[in-house]
Amino acid sequence: MLKGAASRLMRNAFAFALLLAATYPAFAATKLSDDARTRAEALLPSLIDASGLDAHLRLKTLKDQLATTTNEQARGPLLKDVIFYHIDTGVVEGLEPIAAEAIALGEKRGDVSLQVYGMLGLAEIDYIAGSIKVAESKIQEALTLAEARGSLTDQFFARSSLAALGPELGNMLEGLLAMTQSITDLPDSAEGEKMRMTAYLTLAYIYTGVSEVDEIVDNYTKALDVARRAKIALDRETIMFNIASSLNDIDENALARKYYEALTAVLTQTGHLEGRYYALYGLAWIAYDEERYADCIALAHEALNDFEGEPSFDVELYDLLAIGYARQGNAEEARKYRQIVLEQYEKYPDFKLVISDADDQLTEAYILAAEGRYKEGFELLNKARRGLLDDQFESFQVSVTDLRSSIVTLIEKQRTEEALRVAEASNKRLLLILTFFVIAGAVALVFIMRKHNRALARSKHAADMANRSKSEFLANMSHELRTPLNAILGFSEMMEQRVFGDLGAKQYGDYVGHINESGRLLLDIINDILDLSKVESGKLIVRDEVIDLRQLLGDLSKLMAPRITPKNLTLTVDVPPRVPHLKADTRLCKQILLNILSNASKFTENGGEITCRVYEMDNEDVVIEVEDNGIGMSPDELEIALLPFGQAGTTATRSHEGTGLGLPLVKSLMELHGGSLEVRSIKRMGTLVILTFPAERKVTAEEAAASKDNEGANEAPTA
């Protein structure tokens, strides 16, 4: 459940620090500032209300989509999103086959991002299982791959996973520095927002390791702001648990209890009731701190008996039972659970990376006291005290070293700034000398620029006139040609159907068929030229209507039947039940899709497959994809195909008719709708065409129904 939930094997050390606070003030717990308290109280209802951004619900939706998606091209992005939310929530159930598929598919398709995400998913499984060093090794391997062949995004997510191990590995400073620096360098894009939210979540988690509640609340608040702005899901359960446990660490138990109760409410919202384990875990620690040992033991037993938890949390609950029974004087039960803890250390050796000897000795000292072995218990308690003092001194030395390094850096910065000031003084004198020459040159430059601008304006005007003349000529020529073509098509159809009797020789029937087919092809070309010229001249008007994509694609499938049946092609249309409607021009959308589907059928060999799918992106853009396994294009051929009158291949190698206006016209029509066209193609493997309509053209099913009702009311006859 709780990726980001700070491991609390150091919890007894905090308790011991509180015992020593009166004698050694340096060990006193950090206090919550008034500002942090206000922000923590304000953040709580915001988290409860953010059910639409819940990562557990988003993960379930994505896994449902993955289960019904068979196309490799579409599975790639889904696999990455599923792994991202598995890591964000710490839910590893079902993650292993998904991560393995991502790695295999990434290797097959040469997709480094898929491989990196898959490797990070496997590392998450090891982390949750307590194999921290193994997880670190796998993340390092993923980072090496991302740095060698991946994108900056891949590198960021690998580094954020590595930074999240900081509290367990005792290396938090490097992770803090990496995440803090990255926030300022991230792009203002959908992917950049996702990385920014992850950086804030990682920073909050790292600060959880040292109970810096001010920083924890600040970073989680910023993460929630980004999630709302970019509509990205985040793990509310982890946020609530981490804040609650950190508040508990600094004796803010009343506010911590509110967060645990709110966590229970969120678990009820999402139906993720197994998360109750972590709420019980936190409440057990609060009961222990308040010396309610019977309640502490009951809560720990409920968590262990009723839920399947994580090994790192289970061992802490067993340790809590051992020390709780010891504080009650029940040495036998305390010793039993102490033995379980020692067995867990042998089974999961990495746990010893995050637990101090002083922490371990404190539990043993309490048990010795319960057994009446007070002298041994006191000696062990004194040893724990000295160990904790040594740890604090070592930490102090590290802090002094960091401070010394910062001072040296500051001095070097001051020296550099002084050298710059001296250089600037020298430059000012040189600048005065140059100013005269610059002014004289500027006067001459003004006259030259004016002359150049006048010539440029004349050239631009001439180019505009030429372009307008070209568009008008094409429009007029197309219009003039359509009239005789209509006659050719009409008469040839009558002759084909033998309206006035037989034609005579058998060959005439074939000739008439060729005439009709050629006439239709020419008419299609002229129509494309006319539409393209209208777009360029700004005369093509988009008339928005509410379009049901399921119905539109169904109609187009029927229209395509005469083209795909003779070649034995398979056309599959995949439209999810909840896909939104579109606000667009119906005729132009039909023309867009017919052009793309016609190209797919034209360039797909006999027995091939064409798939048309519709889906909604995280930013609410609506995407229509058409994929075929036809002859495909090389990068050079694709570049030509996107130019007006451009066609892939040479005159000698092309076996299909056309003028090369299809894709340029589709691109222009998509841009008229504020959308975009993207074409990906691999020679001899196939082509993928991606049509993206912006989120503002999305119409929900409810809005579409309301629009239909309004139309019906307007058309109703009046009495």
Side-chain angles (χ1 to χ4, degrees), residues 481-482 484-494 496-497 512-528 563 657-659:
L481 286 174
R482 288 171 73 175
L485 268 176
N486 286 332
I488 292 171
L489 290 173
F491 290 136
S492 62
E493 282 181 3
M494 291 176 67
E496 267 190 316
Q497 296 170 11
V512 168
H514 291 316
I515 292 169
N516 188 268
E517 184 180 348
S518 300
R520 289 191 179 280
L521 175 62
L522 185 56
L523 184 60
D524 289 341
I525 293 170
I526 291 170
N527 286 335
D528 284 349
R563 302 192 186 193
E657 74 280 352
T659 59

Side-chain angles (χ1 to χ4, degrees), residues 428-445:
K428 284 180 181 177
R429 290 191 294 271
L430 180 61
L431 186 63
L432 290 174
I433 299 172
L434 292 175
T435 300
F436 172 78
F437 294 102
V438 170
I439 293 173
V443 173
L445 185 61

